[in-house]
Amino acid sequence: MIEGWLDRLSRRWARPEDPMQPVAFPAELRSCHAHIAFDATFELWWKGNDETAIWTTRQRVTEWADQVTAQYCVTQAGNAENEINSRNPYGARVQLVAGPQARLAAEAILDIDRQTALERVKQQAELERIRYLRESVYSRPDVARSYWLYHHPDRPEELLTIRFEEIAEKFGNVGESRSLVIAKLIGDFLGRLEDGERRYLIEQLGQIFSSYDRPDLAERLEDS
């Protein structure tokens, strides 16, 4: 009887557990572009008043989220927010926004990147065209004449005034293709070998051709 009364009394005077309380705090998180950041608002549910523990958790959440947002542009705030909220190991929720100035700066950078990439493609295409003209057109007088006449069909009389042989000579001296340069190097090397050494090297080359499924080249090498 007395024990039951004491139990009821202890329950009446027992201190209730602290309820879960929301803890909200702002933070600035990196984006993939330097000096352009997300504005973030975090919300944690916390029990108790341990300020040190709360601060430590806030710091860990912020550092973890900062690593995620550093992979995104501020124009992708929704995607970055979804990744943080779906993967967050600390149970926090985040809302990401990007101010107008941050978005304008990011869009300007993206536009510059697009223009740079386009210009790089144009330059590469121009270099390829120049290389083609140098190696396959202007270095061969007959091809150069046909090429010129194809692009100027209304001016055939000028064909006789252009010195294609001189043009080809200049391009041949300066613009030899890489494969031609390598072939000349191999030819020079073979020319300096003794007969036995040259024969041995040619046999080795024949085996290499055969190993690359080119027995026809190996046969041509033997016949040469």
Side-chain angles (χ1 to χ4, degrees), residues 28-169:
E28 187 177 89
L29 303 179
R30 293 178 297 166
S31 75
C32 63
H33 297 118
H35 311 300
I36 302 177
F38 293 93
D39 294 321
T41 302
F42 289 92
E43 186 177 66
L44 283 168
W45 287 89
W46 196 266
K47 181 186 294 186
N49 297 312
D50 189 339
E51 294 294 336
T52 301
I54 293 175
W55 178 257
T56 300
T57 302
R58 283 179 53 173
Q59 187 175 17
R60 290 176 178 174
V61 170
T62 303
E63 290 176 352
W64 180 86
D66 187 67
Q67 294 178 0
V68 175
T69 58
Q71 305 173 35
Y72 288 91
C73 178
V74 292
T75 58
Q76 302 171 305
N79 293 338
E81 181 178 301
N82 290 336
E83 181 172 351
I84 292 174
N85 289 332
S86 62
R87 294 178 49 212
N88 194 333
Y90 301 97
R93 303 290 296 177
V94 67
Q95 182 179 6
L96 292 178
V97 296
Q101 291 184 347
R103 293 185 66 88
L104 286 174
E107 289 170 356
I109 292 175
L110 291 174
D111 185 59
I112 291 173
D113 290 343
R114 285 191 291 266
Q115 294 296 329
T116 301
L118 180 60
E119 187 64 26
R120 188 179 296 113
V121 171
K122 289 181 178 179
Q123 291 176 356
Q124 185 62 35
E126 185 176 1
L127 288 175
E128 290 296 330
R129 176 175 173 79
I130 291 173
R131 186 178 296 110
Y132 166 75
L133 291 174
R134 182 189 66 196
E135 297 180 0
S136 302
V137 178
Y138 293 129
S139 61
R140 300 170 59 185
D142 55 336
V143 176
R145 287 190 180 89
S146 300
Y147 182 87
W148 189 93
L149 188 59
Y150 176 80
H151 288 279
H152 306 88
D154 57 332
R155 294 150 54 188
E157 67 282 357
E158 297 182 19
L159 189 65
L160 301 176
T161 64
I162 302 175
R163 300 177 178 179
F164 290 101
E165 282 76 13
E166 294 182 8
I167 295 174
E169 183 179 356

